[in-house]
Amino acid sequence: MKNWISLLLLLLVLSSCKTRNAAKNTNGIVQDSTSIENNDNPKDTNEPVRDKLTFYEHVLIPPKFDQIKISSKVNVETGSFIPTLDATIYIENNKKVWMNLQALVFNVARGIATPEGVKGQDKTSKTYIDSDFDYLNNLLNVNFIDYKALEKILIGRTFVKISDSQFTLTKNAQGYKMTSNGTQKIETDEKKREYKITLQYDQNYDLLNVNLKDILSADELEISYSNWDEYNGIRLPKNVKIIIKGSKSSQILLENTKFDFSRMETPYSVPSSYKKIEIK
């Protein structure tokens, strides 16, 4: 079961989210790329940003693309040994995220996410899931991940709603920093949570780091991006790190080795012999 959860987390998050009610129209978030431990860097002197409109235009307007195919090396740290996995991630804008995972030359897992929910199968245990995004939120220790947020996480875009009235925007040595004023309340059908949110962008508006800390628990999610470059007119990160802290702690490292913009087939079917399981 532990192997299944780890593979599924890779499969449907990276890292990478179904938001309901107030969280349905999320846009994006980011934090200081110095990571969770380095928020008090004495060199991090923040100054007011005068041209806020340009900043918001860069970080909130999504890139235009029909599809992106990403080849990745994936490493997962959960306390149990999991070999490095080769991943093929195919994103069809606003429609689906398809992923196939291999260990050596063997297919070990496959999954597909659409706005309606997520499906995944573990070929090693011959099990599968067919659900909404709730279990994915549980794995990430958050409550706001929906399909669009998942897309944005994978390509390094702001995935939580930000606004000038609820965040303070400043300029520092790294670039731009947004810090939530007080806590941000996100309420879904299942639960209400309050987060302290920090986002860090580079000088050219590339997202560097996102940090969300639940103020009522030990849950914390941090996603960092690095080695940005331009492909087919779109800036994309080569490295993604997802750190999950709390009752479930783990780390996912993605090394994106190739980006392709051609269309591909995304087969998905579950053999009749596979057993359906529920993620608790």
Side-chain angles (χ1 to χ4, degrees), residues 32 43-52 55 168-179 199-205:
D32 193 314
K43 297 181 181 179
D44 188 16
T45 56
N46 298 304
E47 300 177 354
V49 174
R50 301 186 188 282
D51 187 4
K52 293 184 178 181
F55 170 82
T168 297
L169 174 63
T170 55
K171 191 84 164 58
N172 56 33
Q174 288 181 298
Y176 300 89
K177 183 176 182 179
M178 291 206 77
T179 305
L199 307 89
Q200 178 70 45
Y201 300 82
D202 203 347
Q203 299 280 359
N204 62 354
Y205 309 104

Side-chain angles (χ1 to χ4, degrees), residues 58-59 62 70 75 103 105 109 113 128 130 141 157 171 174 177 184 192-193 199 214 226 229-230 238 240 257 263 268:
H58 278 86
V59 305
I70 307 172
N75 286 283
V105 295
Y128 75 97
D130 187 346
N141 293 345
R157 294 309 188 275
K171 191 84 164 58
Q174 288 181 298
K177 183 176 182 179
Q184 300 297 302
K192 177 180 178 181
R193 303 187 74 166
L199 307 89
D214 188 328
S226 61
D229 208 340
E230 186 169 314
K238 292 182 180 179
V240 182
T257 58
R263 190 173 293 275
Y268 183 86

Side-chain angles (χ1 to χ4, degrees), residues 13-213:
V13 96
L14 297 179
S15 345
S16 184
C17 310
K18 182 170 188 180
T19 308
R20 294 177 169 80
N21 297 336
K24 279 190 176 178
N25 293 320
T26 56
N27 287 319
I29 307 178
V30 182
Q31 173 196 358
D32 193 314
S33 72
T34 52
S35 88
I36 295 173
E37 290 79 7
N38 297 325
N39 291 335
D40 298 324
N41 189 336
K43 297 181 181 179
D44 188 16
T45 56
N46 298 304
E47 300 177 354
V49 174
R50 301 186 188 282
D51 187 4
K52 293 184 178 181
L53 179 59
T54 298
F55 170 82
Y56 283 110
E57 286 178 342
H58 278 86
V59 305
L60 294 184
I61 296 177
K64 295 181 179 180
F65 68 94
D66 294 320
Q67 61 275 326
I68 299 176
K69 176 184 175 184
I70 307 172
S71 300
S72 298
K73 297 286 186 182
V74 183
N75 286 283
V76 185
E77 298 177 9
T78 63
S80 300
F81 172 74
I82 299 175
T84 298
L85 300 170
D86 293 312
T88 299
I89 306 162
Y90 179 77
I91 304 170
E92 197 165 320
N93 197 12
N94 295 320
K95 294 182 179 179
K96 63 183 174 183
V97 173
W98 179 90
M99 185 182 294
N100 188 71
L101 292 172
Q102 288 187 317
L104 299 177
V105 295
F106 301 101
N107 291 331
V108 295
R110 180 171 291 178
I112 187 167
T114 67
E116 288 70 41
V118 292
K119 300 178 181 180
Q121 57 182 273
D122 180 358
K123 297 180 181 296
T124 62
S125 63
K126 295 185 176 181
T127 55
Y128 75 97
I129 60 101
D130 187 346
S131 183
D132 59 18
F133 286 83
D134 290 342
Y135 80 89
L136 186 55
N137 279 288
N138 290 335
L139 289 171
L140 289 175
N141 293 345
V142 294
N143 72 325
F144 58 85
I145 302 298
D146 61 5
Y147 173 78
K148 198 58 190 177
L150 175 60
E151 264 195 14
K152 291 178 178 179
I153 286 175
L154 293 174
I155 61 174
R157 294 309 188 275
T158 304
F159 57 88
V160 179
K161 185 176 182 179
I162 56 175
S163 67
D164 193 50
S165 61
Q166 295 183 324
F167 284 78
T168 297
L169 174 63
T170 55
K171 191 84 164 58
N172 56 33
Q174 288 181 298
Y176 300 89
K177 183 176 182 179
M178 291 206 77
T179 305
S180 58
N181 301 327
T183 60
Q184 300 297 302
K185 298 179 181 179
I186 300 179
E187 185 172 357
T188 66
D189 293 342
E190 287 71 34
K191 63 180 65 175
K192 177 180 178 181
R193 303 187 74 166
E194 296 184 34
Y195 299 97
K196 182 67 176 178
I197 301 171
T198 310
L199 307 89
Q200 178 70 45
Y201 300 82
D202 203 347
Q203 299 280 359
N204 62 354
Y205 309 104
D206 289 337
L207 179 58
L208 297 178
N209 186 274
V210 182
N211 181 267
L212 301 98
K213 181 173 178 56

